[in-house]
């Protein structure tokens, strides 16, 4: 008898919730939700609306955004904030104040999840030199999140302290807060020379609460649709499936030129990325809802 293929399973045995960065589609939230709905999603990750970053949305804009989501039947999976994407040498309280502004958006959109980063360093400074300053700031952010019932999702990103698995692990272990968890990004690991699943999955899986979906080529760092790069997406998704993961899978394709608020794809390329990801999940027997 042939042994069962460990990378396949009956369709629908595991269900993940599909989401995506709406501003990778279009600046207009109504267009963002329309495209995501056409791709089968009912959740959105909010990074900007009408070209305004979440950190700068005023009360009227927040209310208007909530109205767009309600009319479309959408919920926010997370707030894709820029918190921690600044030089660690800046005053620590500045980032706490910025987090408070993002938390008000999270509360208004009724999501407990806020994506954050672990700080840039000046040229010539080593990660070891900034470690203590990073941890002090991450602890302050976690304290604020704990008070507000928020979960901070640290995303691994090139050029921040937590860019490679060992330093991501250092951040979550050293801060030691239930309010600080991980958003896993395969492509970003590839861009810093890491084989994501091989080099980091076993170490970091206990802290991973959220999946950012994109892939990249090791040779150039170019971002490509899921499964078309060196990000070991199939291995990662298979492990998540086998462990019964039932959380969010948020599309962040980055398939067109970037803009000042983050990566961009446009409706067509975003759709191409979504279809590539769904092809992988269909093959693995994972349902997306």
């Amino acid at each position: 008898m042939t042994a069962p293929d460990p990378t396949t399973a009956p369709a629908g045995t595991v269900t993940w919730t599909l989401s995506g960065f709406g501003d990778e589609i279009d600046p207009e939230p109504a267009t963002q939700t329309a495209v995501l709905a056409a791709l089968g999603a009912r959740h959105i990750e909010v990074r900007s609306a009408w070209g305004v970053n979440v950190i700068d949305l005023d009360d009227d804009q927040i209310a208007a955004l909530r109205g767009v989501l309600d009319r479309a039947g959408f919920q926010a999976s997370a707030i894709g904030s820029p918190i921690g994407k600044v030089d660690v040498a800046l005053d620590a309280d500045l980032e706490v104040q910025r987090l408070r502004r993002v938390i008000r958006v999270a509360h208004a959109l009724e999501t407990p999840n806020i994506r954050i980063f672990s700080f840039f360093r000046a040229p010539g400074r080593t990660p070891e030199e900034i470690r203590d300053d990073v941890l002090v700031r991450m602890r302050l952010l976690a304290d604020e999140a704990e008070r507000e019932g928020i979960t901070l999702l640290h995303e691994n990103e090139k050029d921040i302290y937590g860019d490679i698995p060992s330093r991501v692990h250092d951040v979550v272990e050293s801060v030691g807060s239930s309010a600080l968890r991980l958003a896993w990004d395969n492509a970003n690991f590839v861009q810093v020379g890491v084989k994501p699943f091989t080099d980091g999955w076993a170490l970091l899986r206990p802290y991973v609460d959220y999946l950012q979906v994109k892939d990249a080529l090791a040779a150039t760092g170019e971002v490509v649709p899921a499964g078309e790069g060196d990000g070991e997406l199939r291995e990662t998704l298979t492990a998540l499936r086998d462990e019964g993961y039932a959380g969010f899978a948020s599309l962040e394709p980055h398939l067109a030129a970037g803009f000042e608020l983050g990566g961009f794809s446009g409706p067509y390329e975003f759709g191409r990325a979504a279809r590539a990801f769904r092809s992988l999940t269909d093959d693995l027997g994972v349902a997306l809802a």
Side-chain angles (χ1 to χ4, degrees):
M1 178 182 291
T2 302
D5 183 347
T7 65
T8 61
T13 57
V14 176
T15 300
W16 300 343
T17 302
L18 184 65
S19 185
F21 281 75
D23 62 0
E24 286 230 6
I25 297 167
D26 190 89
E28 171 58 55
T31 303
Q32 298 173 14
T33 56
V35 171
L36 282 165
L39 296 170
R42 285 296 180 271
H43 285 78
I44 185 171
E45 186 154 351
V46 179
R47 182 172 55 195
S48 68
W50 306 288
V52 180
N53 190 278
V54 289
I55 211 164
D56 296 317
L57 292 172
D58 62 31
D59 290 345
D60 289 341
Q61 290 169 321
I62 295 170
L65 177 57
R66 175 62 191 261
V68 171
L69 300 190
D70 287 348
R71 287 189 294 275
F74 265 67
Q75 295 177 286
S77 62
I79 306 300
S81 89
I83 299 300
K85 215 168 186 179
V86 297
D87 194 304
V88 72
L90 293 174
D91 189 308
D93 189 58
L94 292 176
E95 215 57 4
V96 174
Q97 295 300 324
R98 291 193 343 137
L99 177 61
R100 289 173 180 161
R101 292 163 64 182
V102 176
I103 287 174
R104 86 191 200 285
V105 181
H107 286 331
L109 300 186
E110 297 184 11
T111 176
N113 299 320
I114 296 178
R115 184 273 310 267
I116 66 165
F117 303 91
S118 55
F119 298 91
F120 294 125
R121 61 185 182 275
R125 298 198 72 192
T126 67
E128 292 72 26
E129 288 173 326
I130 69 167
R131 177 181 181 271
D132 289 350
D133 288 340
V134 166
L135 295 181
V136 166
R137 285 154 178 76
M138 297 299 287
R139 180 69 254 181
L140 291 172
L141 297 175
D143 287 344
E144 191 69 27
E146 289 174 9
R147 283 191 290 270
E148 294 288 340
I150 289 293
T151 298
L152 303 177
L153 298 168
H154 175 278
E155 179 181 344
N156 54 288
E157 166 94 357
K158 62 178 180 288
D159 299 328
I160 63 171
Y161 179 79
D163 56 354
I164 62 174
S166 60
R167 289 198 289 268
V168 174
H169 186 261
D170 182 29
V171 169
V172 289
E173 272 289 298
S174 297
V175 173
S177 170
S178 61
L180 179 61
R181 303 289 291 174
L182 300 181
W184 174 276
D185 189 307
N186 295 69
N188 289 352
F189 276 136
V190 171
Q191 291 176 337
V192 294
V194 169
K195 293 181 178 179
F197 187 80
T198 300
D199 299 340
W201 185 251
L203 180 67
L204 298 179
R205 174 61 187 105
Y207 312 94
V208 174
D209 278 5
Y210 197 91
L211 178 66
Q212 306 277 42
V213 181
K214 63 179 186 287
D215 205 345
L217 300 175
T220 63
E222 178 188 357
V223 178
V224 294
E228 298 181 16
D230 299 301
E232 301 182 318
L233 260 294
R234 177 174 287 273
E235 293 89 338
T236 306
L237 302 182
T238 299
L240 284 168
R241 180 203 67 191
D242 292 347
E243 295 167 14
Y245 176 75
F248 290 106
S250 184
L251 300 167
E252 190 185 9
H254 283 18
L255 294 182
F259 71 127
E260 62 179 340
L261 298 174
F264 189 72
S265 297
Y268 176 81
E269 291 295 329
F270 197 97
R272 183 164 72 94
R275 289 187 292 274
F277 180 58
R278 192 174 288 273
S279 177
L280 271 177
T281 55
D282 284 350
D283 193 35
L284 296 175
V286 174
L288 297 175

